[in-house]
Amino acid sequence: MDTRLIELLVCPVCKGPLHRSDDGHALNCNADRLAFPIRDGIPVMLESEALALEPPAEFNPAAHLAAAAAAADKAADPNSAD
């Protein structure tokens, strides 16, 4: 599938960017954690045909939220000590 075409396509759910899967058989939406299959060179952009992606193994939602909160606190008070 042509890279220029992939750059034009967006996720039909959130309208976010899509990225080719490692094996090249799907277009992935990282925001919605969905994989849209490519069949016979044609992307199937139907939500009902999409496959759910597993979160990365190292992803820890609680740690991610805690780190984001700490970064926000530090940005709000740049004079605070670490």
Side-chain angles (χ1 to χ4, degrees), residues 28-36 50-56:
N28 297 342
C29 175
N30 293 333
D32 292 318
R33 307 297 306 156
L34 293 174
F36 297 92
L51 302 172
L53 294 173
E54 293 293 323

Side-chain angles (χ1 to χ4, degrees), residues 7-81:
E7 292 173 359
L8 294 174
L9 292 174
V10 297
C11 173
V13 178
C14 72
K15 309 302 184 241
L18 296 169
H19 308 281
R20 188 186 309 252
S21 65
D22 291 339
D23 65 6
H25 289 74
L27 295 178
N28 297 342
C29 175
N30 293 333
D32 292 318
R33 307 297 306 156
L34 293 174
F36 297 92
I38 298 173
R39 295 187 186 130
D40 298 322
I42 301 168
V44 180
M45 304 302 296
L46 300 171
E47 185 177 3
S48 61
E49 294 289 321
L51 302 172
L53 294 173
E54 293 293 323
E58 69 278 357
F59 183 72
N60 180 339
H64 178 75
L65 291 174
D73 288 344
K74 186 173 182 179
D77 187 8
N79 296 323
S80 68

